[in-house]
Amino acid sequence: MLKTIIMDFDGLIVDTEVVWYQIYVEWFRVHKQYDLSVQEFLTCVGSNAEDLFRKMDAKGIHVDRDAFAQDTLARFIEESGRLPAKPGVEDFLKSARENGLSVALATSSGRKKPTVHLERLHLMQYFDLLVTAEDVERIKPNPDLFLKAAEKLGCTPAECLVVEDSLNGLLAGRNADMRVLVVPNDVTKYCTFEGQYRLCDSLAEVDVPSLIAEF
């Protein structure tokens, strides 16, 4: 029986991954004369940039983490601050609540970013719980974020549906023994997804009552 929806944030609720990808590509081209591929960028999608930076280090391309943050964060905040919610997101959240489901957010980022965006878009009202990197020792693809959300909402993994856009998110959901609905974005569509419960192009395609009945 489905009791809880656990949703990612970046790239699923707001299309921040596309903004980050453009910023990363430009930064590496300008500062390192390196053409960053989408496959390389996907290393950190759903997780954090350190995975990518370690791979770059192994190639002899060292990234000063503090300098990178100083060069990119302000631009990201400015550009992402104008982004709308992705198609179907609010209707999906509203339908989940109307059909008696609890809803949690589980993100590998810190708490401030999703909080700012959810309040800006008037979506915070649909969430019972936010679990972020500040609440666990290990982020995705480890299962800790999803398991913490289930624990706090009093649900078993079998009663939860994870909704994700990234491969790291799918792996984290599977590592938590939860079914995963994958909704790729314009960056993560280049991932090879395997083992998901369902894959669709948009949350606008998802009928929550049917999801509950089929779960």
Side-chain angles (χ1 to χ4, degrees):
M1 180 178 178
L2 178 59
K3 292 185 178 180
T4 297
I5 301 287
I6 306 178
M7 298 187 69
D8 181 42
F9 177 74
D10 288 293
L12 178 73
I13 293 176
V14 178
D15 213 354
T16 52
E17 301 295 8
V18 173
V19 174
W20 265 130
Y21 176 57
Q22 293 168 345
I23 291 172
Y24 272 58
V25 167
E26 182 177 313
W27 189 91
F28 273 92
R29 186 175 294 141
V30 170
H31 294 273
K32 300 295 177 180
Q33 294 75 52
Y34 182 80
D35 289 326
L36 187 74
S37 72
V38 67
Q39 292 298 332
E40 288 169 324
F41 176 73
L42 287 170
T43 302
C44 60
V45 173
S47 185
N48 61 32
E50 188 58 31
D51 292 335
L52 171 64
F53 294 157
R54 281 196 295 264
K55 286 192 174 185
M56 293 294 105
D57 287 341
K59 290 186 175 186
I61 302 171
H62 177 68
V63 176
D64 183 309
R65 278 59 162 172
D66 292 336
F68 180 86
Q70 291 174 4
D71 290 341
T72 61
L73 190 56
R75 178 180 168 188
F76 172 76
I77 291 171
E78 178 185 356
E79 294 187 13
S80 66
R82 300 190 294 267
L83 293 173
K86 293 193 68 179
V89 166
E90 184 164 13
D91 287 343
F92 177 81
L93 290 168
K94 184 177 180 181
S95 183
R97 298 308 301 266
E98 288 175 345
N99 283 276
L101 301 179
S102 55
V103 181
L105 187 86
T107 174
S108 292
S109 73
R111 183 170 298 271
K112 182 177 180 180
K113 179 174 64 174
T115 298
V116 167
H117 284 288
L118 292 175
E119 290 177 348
R120 173 179 67 85
L121 296 167
H122 307 292
L123 297 177
M124 187 67 82
Q125 61 183 313
Y126 299 112
F127 288 89
D128 298 286
L129 174 71
L130 270 63
V131 181
T132 74
E134 297 164 24
D135 301 309
V136 296
E137 292 185 6
R138 303 178 303 170
I139 57 173
K140 304 168 191 176
N142 294 292
D144 303 35
L145 287 161
F146 296 142
L147 293 175
K148 177 69 73 172
E151 176 190 350
K152 288 192 171 185
L153 291 174
C155 295
T156 67
E159 295 169 329
C160 299
L161 176 68
V162 169
V163 187
E164 271 284 354
D165 69 296
S166 72
L167 182 56
N168 279 324
L170 171 59
L171 293 172
R174 294 189 64 190
N175 288 335
D177 292 324
M178 297 178 183
R179 281 172 270 191
V180 184
L181 167 64
V182 177
V183 187
N185 57 52
D186 285 341
V187 173
T188 60
K189 66 183 180 182
Y190 296 101
C191 293
T192 299
F193 295 104
E194 293 181 353
Q196 66 272 9
Y197 174 64
R198 187 181 295 181
L199 187 146
C200 60
D201 292 329
S202 169
L203 280 175
E205 300 175 6
V206 182
D207 179 70
V208 173
S210 297
L211 195 63
I212 294 170
E214 296 167 3
F215 197 76

